[in-house]
Amino acid sequence: MSRLEGPNQIAELQREILEKRGKFGHEIAVCGGPGCRAIGCEEVFRALRDEFQRAGCGEDVHLKWTGCRGLCAGGTIVVIDPGGIFYQGVTPEDAREIVEETVLRGAVIERLLYVDPTSGEIARAQDEIPFYRGQTRLLLEQIAQLDPSNIEDYVAAGGYAALAKTLDRLQPAEVIEEIRISGLRGRGGGGFPTARKWTACREAASSDGTKYLICNADEGDPGAYMDRSILEGNPHSVIEGMLIGAYAVGANQGYVYVRHEYPLAVQSILTARDQAQARGLLGENILGTGFDFHIKVSRGGGAFVCGESTALIASLEGKIGEPRPKHVHTAVRGLFNKPTVLNNVETWANVPLIISRGGAWFAGIGTESSTGTKVFSLVGNIRNTGLVELPMGTPLRMIIESIGGGVPGGKKLKAVQSGGPSGGCLPADRIDLPVDFDRLAEAGSMMGSGGLIVMDDETCMVDFAKYFVEFLAEESCGKCVVCREGLDRMRDILTAITEGNGTPESIELLEELCEVMKDASLCALGATAPNPVLSTLRYFRDEYDAHVNGGRCPAGVCRALITFHIDAAACTGCGACARECPEGAISGEIGLAHSIDAEMCIQCGICRTTCRFDAVMTD
Amino acid sequence: MATTGHAAHRIIEKHAGARDALIPILQDIQAEEGYLSQEALEAVSEGMSIPLIQVYGVATFFRAFSLEPRGRRVVCACTGTACHVRGASAVLDELERQLGVCAGQTTGDGEYSLETVNCLGACALGPVVVVDGINHGHMTRADVQHLLGGEPESAGADR
Ligand SMILES: Cc1cc2nc3c(=O)[nH]c(=O)nc-3n(C[C@H](O)[C@H](O)[C@H](O)COP(=O)(O)O)c2cc1C
Ligand code: FES
């Protein structure tokens, strides 16, 4: 592999690769995203490879991996070109048919196509699927097209052209100006203007000239995986973004701090780094311009608080991951006390796009104060679970109904939670809200990293608030008293309420604790921890009251407050529940209505999930 | 355990001199030995000239480290938000009941360790339980009985 000696050689390399590529008759792309891997796409890939060999058409066919295609509910996804035929739910057993029918005979296998559950329409290609039609896929479409382990794929798609342009034609100040014009705000949670951070770092003095760059890939939000998909699916876009940023602020050393649970992302970024280095795109004298930049990859230690910038920096320094007060910004004094720019994975991945296509183009997408697109992980009680990318300001309704396909199982939408443990819940009647940084904050939630958790009417909002408080109580680093003790007390109170031991005073105390934590916590973990509680109190107060005053859990979730019984009219007497009940609390003759012994029942709910006739009820 | 000290020394050497290497060193030892023994922590403290209390502080702060050996089989329930709203807490509850240990513990016979994780990126399959590296999706409390009943392939297995 030859080193590139000048910025103009990127375009040459791209031409070379494209010429070489034209030769294949077919391209078969298997999705290797996190969702498909969990279902077993590796076996699908192996089965396809074996079938191609068996059929003797290995020469004419390019079988490759791509990153996440987004529609995780349809895993494993296989896309076949020419024609862009989109197969979903593919198993290893389908491999032979795909090769014999689709590749050799050009016939489409209907059984593997996507069928729209509402209209019954069959989609042959990705663009015909409503889930994709409504999106603006800038980052995600690259991931869906590229083999992340092959730098040539990235270059063929125009990758590293932004770096070439930067090193060839732009002054550092011009790079920052372009980012300022784009209006790019950080995708890691706070939405801080990226250009302002870069300017502060560029202007900060460093005694020996050392400055650092950090990519925050700690992705702590426990229901979001967009950063992982970007890092696994298009690592070069992050590296290119960091290179441009490093040139702009004058840094020569970068770190990628990857969440402990993401071994594949670590591997992906390491492979990409080595390839970029071999091509002269990273390391010393990049593209022969004299600019040096190195990247180290660090694995996180598995602490949520280390997603916070100062805690992350402490952890990179080999210390306990505790945050520090930010009187002095990390842009001025960060890693090893040197000026440091820290940005989120998705923020970095947007940078090459902005430099290539211009800040004004980016600013034209989204809303006035929140520009560009945002990747969301749309999960929970939603039909089309997956990753979606939309212009900022897209109404929640469109995300949930048109793209997400609504709530499955004939249930009703109850609430949507955004922003992870620091965010809040919005009730179903607020779903016309446009999703951008400011509108979400006004409504008592926040953008966060882009997790969107959809909840149906069988979700208890008090239990849900307790879930986040428990999570945060576990993850509080313990350095400041307010957060450590406050979360413990909040957990106690919420536990009491869900166990039927709450009083109206408990709710008042809860509200007071929330206010203190907002004001007095050392870092944003504690300061935003009240959000899940305050937002559920704001929109679902009646549910708290039902627990406290009525001793009831209206959603039928809190075990201490519910009793199970069987609706004799709906029960067919099949006996399935009685067989599954671990306590033997259900009795009845086959063919006749069964009943539950309330004394013996432990409210585990197995009977309810077992019953196919919806005959098990709760009070 | 002589080997423990050995591994620690070799790993420290590999990271020679780096001032940011404490966590990577502990991660490498954990990956190799499955946990951080007292001998390993002492060897790191000595080898890197870092007070033992600081090494211990880091080792106990991060979730990635365990100071005790894990069981022969590892059962890991996802308790991420997406899995939670689909009933993961009932699934975890049942796992705890069946195994007789709380999340984070290992059964007395050293057979099973029960762990939790926050989001595996497989939210479409939620609730997810991973047994010895194999994902089981759409788990319900009832599935848990079958899952641990010796036929891991049968219950809710997605492949
Ligand atoms: C408790 C806590 C956890 C955080 N976790 C993450 C995270 O996992 N990933 C991330 O990019 N930012 C996280 N942040 C935000 C970072 O502190 C920081 O603002 C962000 O990474 C800056 O990058 P950006 O400007 O590109 O958004 C977290 C903040 C707090 C307070
Ligand atoms: S929350 Fe369980 S896999 Fe995402």
Side-chain angles (χ1 to χ4, degrees):
Chain A
M1 197 181 283
S2 59
R3 259 184 85 91
L4 303 175
E5 300 293 351
N8 52 356
Q9 290 187 358
I10 291 277
E12 276 168 39
L13 178 63
Q14 184 189 19
R15 261 195 307 280
E16 248 170 61
I17 298 168
L18 288 174
E19 265 166 38
K20 190 170 71 184
R21 289 281 159 97
K23 295 192 193 120
F24 287 114
H26 284 87
E27 187 175 86
I28 322 296
V30 180
C31 176
C36 285
R37 277 190 194 272
I39 298 185
C41 61
E42 272 141 292
E43 282 151 41
V44 172
F45 190 92
R46 272 197 294 276
L48 281 167
R49 197 185 48 203
D50 294 349
E51 286 300 329
F52 283 129
Q53 266 162 9
R54 221 181 50 88
C57 55
E59 293 290 295
D60 180 46
V61 166
H62 182 45
L63 175 66
K64 73 170 194 181
W65 283 113
T66 66
C68 180
R69 290 236 171 217
L71 186 57
C72 306
T76 296
I77 295 172
V78 176
V79 176
I80 299 163
D81 273 316
I85 300 160
F86 188 99
Y87 287 150
Q88 53 130 34
V90 179
T91 64
E93 289 73 40
D94 299 319
R96 177 165 299 182
E97 205 180 336
I98 291 178
V99 173
E100 289 179 355
E101 292 297 314
T102 309
V103 176
L104 295 179
R105 293 192 40 237
V108 174
I109 308 166
E110 277 215 3
R111 169 173 61 82
L112 296 175
L113 294 176
Y114 179 89
V115 183
D116 187 53
T118 31
S119 67
E121 255 173 65
I122 297 174
R124 273 174 61 111
Q126 178 170 308
D127 304 344
E128 296 167 20
I129 301 173
F131 174 81
Y132 290 102
R133 237 187 281 147
Q135 299 187 42
T136 302
R137 292 164 53 89
L138 302 177
L139 301 175
L140 291 187
E141 201 46 40
Q142 289 186 2
I143 295 175
Q145 300 296 334
L146 303 182
D147 177 349
S149 68
N150 187 350
I151 188 172
E152 292 198 350
D153 267 32
Y154 185 66
V155 175
Y160 288 112
L163 175 70
K165 176 178 173 183
T166 301
L167 296 184
D168 199 26
R169 305 208 291 273
L170 300 179
Q171 293 299 316
E174 290 174 313
V175 174
I176 297 182
E177 178 60 10
E178 206 60 42
I179 299 294
R180 193 193 60 75
I181 292 169
S182 78
L184 178 66
R185 293 171 68 176
R187 275 23 182 181
F192 193 82
T194 305
R196 234 196 282 164
K197 216 183 249 186
W198 290 17
T199 305
C201 184
R202 170 155 189 81
E203 288 169 357
S206 166
S207 53
D208 59 357
T210 308
K211 291 181 183 177
Y212 294 108
L213 229 59
I214 300 173
C215 169
N216 187 348
D218 201 40
E219 192 154 72
D221 177 351
Y225 54 101
M226 66 287 285
D227 291 349
R228 170 181 179 173
S229 287
I230 294 173
L231 218 50
E232 287 182 6
N234 195 2
H236 286 289
S237 66
V238 177
I239 292 180
E240 190 180 5
M242 290 178 76
L243 277 159
I244 295 167
Y247 174 78
V249 305
N252 300 112
Q253 179 67 54
Y255 286 81
V256 182
Y257 187 89
V258 190
R259 183 175 163 203
H260 150 71
E261 285 94 342
Y262 291 175
L264 228 65
V266 172
Q267 207 187 327
S268 170
I269 190 85
L270 284 173
T271 306
R273 182 189 70 174
D274 293 348
Q275 289 175 349
Q277 222 144 355
R279 289 283 187 173
L281 293 161
L282 197 62
E284 309 279 333
N285 192 19
I286 292 167
L287 291 175
T289 61
F291 166 57
D292 303 335
F293 185 62
H294 301 267
I295 288 181
K296 275 194 189 183
V297 177
S298 300
R299 286 167 296 161
F304 173 69
V305 72
C306 287
E308 196 276 340
S309 50
T310 59
L312 188 155
I313 285 171
S315 151
L316 271 182
E317 291 169 347
K319 299 183 197 141
I320 290 176
E322 285 175 346
R324 63 162 174 78
K326 291 198 220 172
H327 315 301
V328 184
H329 280 290
T330 49
V332 176
R333 195 167 349 124
L335 184 62
F336 302 119
N337 290 322
K338 298 293 177 191
T340 303
V341 162
L342 182 143
N343 278 124
N344 165 265
V345 173
E346 194 182 332
T347 313
W348 288 120
N350 271 306
V351 169
L353 290 178
I354 293 171
I355 297 301
S356 281
R357 303 203 202 174
W361 161 79
F362 192 84
I365 305 169
T367 60
E368 175 130 20
S369 65
S370 305
T371 55
T373 60
K374 177 80 194 81
V375 181
F376 296 98
S377 67
L378 186 59
V379 299
N381 304 130
I382 184 93
R383 196 169 266 125
N384 297 330
T385 295
L387 293 185
V388 302
E389 182 175 358
L390 296 151
M392 293 273 191
T394 304
L396 208 45
R397 181 186 297 282
M398 177 173 161
I399 305 178
I400 292 170
E401 292 177 0
S402 324
I403 294 171
V407 176
K411 301 195 185 116
K412 277 195 3 227
L413 174 72
K414 180 168 186 175
V416 184
Q417 205 271 356
S418 71
S422 311
C425 291
L426 298 173
D429 61 17
R430 294 295 300 266
I431 68 167
D432 287 311
L433 189 85
V435 179
D436 72 16
F437 287 111
D438 308 313
R439 301 301 292 275
L440 278 174
E442 280 159 31
S445 185
M446 64 183 270
M447 178 76 80
S449 58
L452 282 179
I453 319 285
V454 180
M455 286 167 274
D456 66 22
D457 49 8
E458 288 183 6
T459 313
C460 168
M461 300 314 289
V462 185
D463 175 74
F464 190 62
K466 187 178 98 182
Y467 165 79
F468 278 123
V469 167
E470 275 179 343
F471 172 85
L472 291 167
E474 279 296 311
E475 296 294 341
S476 169
C477 76
K479 184 173 179 178
C480 80
V481 180
V482 194
C483 173
R484 183 181 70 223
E485 297 301 321
L487 278 163
D488 267 352
R489 288 296 296 131
M490 275 170 40
R491 169 165 59 182
D492 290 347
I493 296 169
L494 286 166
T495 304
I497 295 176
T498 54
E499 288 180 351
N501 300 322
T503 61
E505 291 76 49
S506 320
I507 298 182
E508 276 168 35
L509 185 56
L510 202 54
E511 284 172 324
E512 195 184 326
L513 272 168
C514 287
E515 292 310 317
V516 175
M517 288 192 57
K518 273 207 277 188
D519 290 343
S521 294
L522 171 65
C523 85
L525 187 149
T528 57
N531 284 349
V533 175
L534 288 175
S535 64
T536 46
L537 271 171
R538 173 165 164 194
Y539 295 116
F540 299 95
R541 181 68 183 231
D542 51 341
E543 214 165 325
Y544 279 85
D545 289 340
H547 284 74
V548 169
N549 301 327
R552 282 186 316 115
C553 173
V557 172
C558 298
R559 283 164 66 179
L561 301 179
I562 52 176
T563 50
F564 283 84
H565 65 89
I566 292 174
D567 178 357
C571 178
T572 64
C574 73
C577 59
R579 281 193 296 279
E580 294 293 342
C581 177
E583 299 298 304
I586 303 180
S587 57
E589 277 179 44
I590 293 298
L592 297 176
H594 283 45
S595 63
I596 300 175
D597 182 335
E599 291 284 295
M600 289 165 78
C601 176
I602 56 166
Q603 287 89 27
C604 71
I606 288 183
C607 49
R608 187 165 51 179
T609 44
T610 307
C611 182
R612 285 179 291 127
F613 308 99
D614 285 334
V616 178
M617 319 290 279
T618 53
D619 279 334
Chain B
M1 266 203 240
T3 52
T4 305
H6 244 84
H9 289 303
R10 179 165 38 74
I11 289 167
I12 294 167
E13 235 161 73
K14 196 182 86 186
H15 289 270
R19 57 180 168 167
D20 46 9
L22 174 58
I23 295 172
I25 286 173
L26 294 179
Q27 280 168 330
D28 286 357
I29 299 174
Q30 166 93 27
E32 203 162 299
E33 320 227 293
Y35 76 113
L36 301 176
S37 63
Q38 187 177 334
E39 289 86 343
L41 294 180
E42 283 167 0
V44 170
S45 159
E46 228 164 85
M48 297 189 68
S49 311
I50 295 176
L52 184 58
I53 183 149
Q54 198 180 325
V55 178
Y56 181 79
V58 169
T60 50
F61 182 84
F62 292 105
R63 235 173 111 103
F65 301 125
S66 162
L67 300 194
E68 275 161 30
R70 290 158 105 197
R72 279 178 287 279
R73 305 190 61 186
V74 178
V75 179
C76 182
C78 178
T79 49
T81 323
C83 287
H84 176 79
V85 303
R86 293 182 173 194
S89 60
V91 172
L92 179 61
D93 213 50
E94 192 61 26
L95 285 168
E96 290 182 332
R97 231 169 58 92
Q98 299 263 333
L99 294 172
V101 292
C102 291
Q105 295 178 333
T106 301
T107 54
D109 58 4
E111 188 64 19
Y112 285 102
S113 283
L114 179 58
E115 300 178 351
T116 58
V117 62
N118 290 312
C119 193
L120 297 154
C123 312
L125 299 179
V128 184
V129 175
V130 188
V131 183
D132 297 333
I134 298 190
N135 289 291
H136 300 267
H138 306 298
M139 292 294 292
T140 64
R141 198 187 265 270
D143 292 330
V144 171
Q145 302 185 348
H146 306 290
L147 184 65
L148 300 176
E151 323 159 71
E153 291 307 304
S154 66
D158 272 277
R159 48 167 159 156

